[in-house]
Amino acid sequence: MSESPAGGGAAGFARVGWIVDAQEDFMRPEGRLYVRDLFDDSDPGAVQVIPALEAAAAWMREHCDAVVYTGDWHGPDDPEIDPVDPDPARDTYPPHCMGRSPDPEERAGAEVIAEIRPADPLVLAHCAAGDDAAVVARLAVTRRRPVFVRKTRFDVFEGNPACEAFVRSLAEALGRALEFVVIGVARDVCVTRAVDGLQERGYAVTAVRDATWGLGLEPEAETLARWAGRGRVVTLAELERRRFVRESAPESGGPGGRVTGY
């Protein structure tokens, strides 16, 4: 069976599971940029949400029409990579998720963690174009395969020039408006860029609050409140036991729909 069997969202909607940057360098304490609160030495970090990511990813494989992974796929010259004087306040970090490195050990840190690693995913390359996006979206739907969107920046829409076209093409291939379910790390960097970006583009988004972890750059309550103001924030338990209900079809001209509850 494929990694992303058709699940079906609410009537008139196609549901997309969106898994952000669950990569070795971010998720393991020994990783090159382990996600933990930068201002709290007692924070155990992202490793503790791996079971939640596993459960949410399993739910996505069963209930979503498509499953998309995103991941940093850096080279040494990317603007976010600074091996000398990295500063999160300036959006620069030490080398991490070096998928374009000639060093196989460095490249290994860019892999999705084994617990939820997709089998035989389609890849939307970091340098993909609009035509590539349409092909990948069509194959993802017709062959029911997951997609790995590689990116060079925190924001997937900036870090992969074909991402926006890919999302539009996914809606066209599925023949319905899209609703997204989002999990991953880091909550206050790459996840919020994904959630905010999708919401700003008019898509309906549900974020799973206990299947994310942050760096402490923005208070968790502030992040969740912003997401909830435009969409919905749920716990993993709520995700697993309830079904999405929409009040109406998307408004004219918009790709999403207003969330009213379960």
Side-chain angles (χ1 to χ4, degrees):
M1 179 176 290
S2 71
E3 287 288 320
S4 54
F13 288 83
R15 184 179 296 142
V16 178
W18 197 268
I19 302 174
V20 179
D21 296 16
Q23 295 165 276
E24 293 285 344
D25 273 348
F26 293 139
M27 296 300 305
R28 307 292 187 196
E30 66 274 17
R32 293 167 68 106
L33 194 61
Y34 182 49
V35 172
R36 55 178 297 279
D37 192 319
L38 299 175
F39 310 101
D40 181 1
D41 290 340
S42 68
D43 178 31
V47 68
Q48 62 190 339
V49 297
I50 289 178
L53 293 177
E54 287 187 82
W59 183 93
M60 289 174 176
R61 288 192 293 270
E62 181 176 356
H63 295 286
C64 290
D65 298 279
V67 177
V68 177
Y69 293 75
T70 72
D72 282 3
W73 206 256
H74 286 303
D77 297 328
D78 286 352
E80 291 173 0
I81 301 299
D82 186 344
V84 178
D85 187 25
D87 182 358
R90 295 186 287 110
D91 284 346
T92 59
Y93 290 84
H96 63 277
C97 298
M98 303 298 288
R100 288 157 34 228
S101 169
D103 183 342
E105 186 173 338
E106 280 194 330
R107 291 199 303 272
E111 295 295 335
V112 174
I113 57 172
E115 289 87 343
I116 61 170
R117 187 173 300 160
D120 192 27
L122 297 161
V123 173
L124 188 66
H126 72 283
C127 55
D131 290 345
D132 302 316
V135 171
V136 170
R138 184 174 65 252
L139 291 176
V141 173
T142 58
R143 299 184 182 180
R144 296 171 61 181
R145 287 172 61 187
V147 176
F148 184 29
V149 178
R150 295 174 175 173
K151 59 191 176 73
T152 61
R153 300 189 68 88
F154 305 131
D155 187 333
V156 69
F157 292 103
E158 294 180 4
N160 188 306
C163 184
E164 192 148 5
F166 168 70
V167 172
R168 290 197 304 266
S169 296
L170 200 57
E172 292 171 3
L174 289 167
R176 287 172 287 164
L178 303 180
E179 58 176 354
F180 293 84
V181 180
V182 181
I183 63 174
V185 298
R187 180 183 57 246
D188 40 4
V189 185
C190 295
V191 178
T192 200
R193 299 289 178 95
V195 173
D196 293 346
L198 289 166
Q199 290 179 332
E200 287 165 2
R201 288 162 173 80
Y203 292 101
V205 180
T206 292
V208 186
R209 63 182 301 164
D210 46 353
T212 70
W213 203 258
L215 293 170
L217 299 176
E218 179 179 61
E220 180 180 7
E222 184 177 328
T223 307
L224 298 179
R226 184 174 63 255
W227 294 350
R230 293 177 173 176
R232 188 168 180 86
V233 175
V234 301
T235 64
L236 177 62
E238 289 172 326
L239 182 75
E240 290 180 323
R241 70 173 180 257
R242 302 179 182 180
R243 294 182 60 84
F244 291 82
V245 175
R246 299 284 177 188
E247 182 178 271
S248 62
E251 295 181 5
S252 176
R258 186 154 64 89
V259 179
T260 60
Y262 284 102

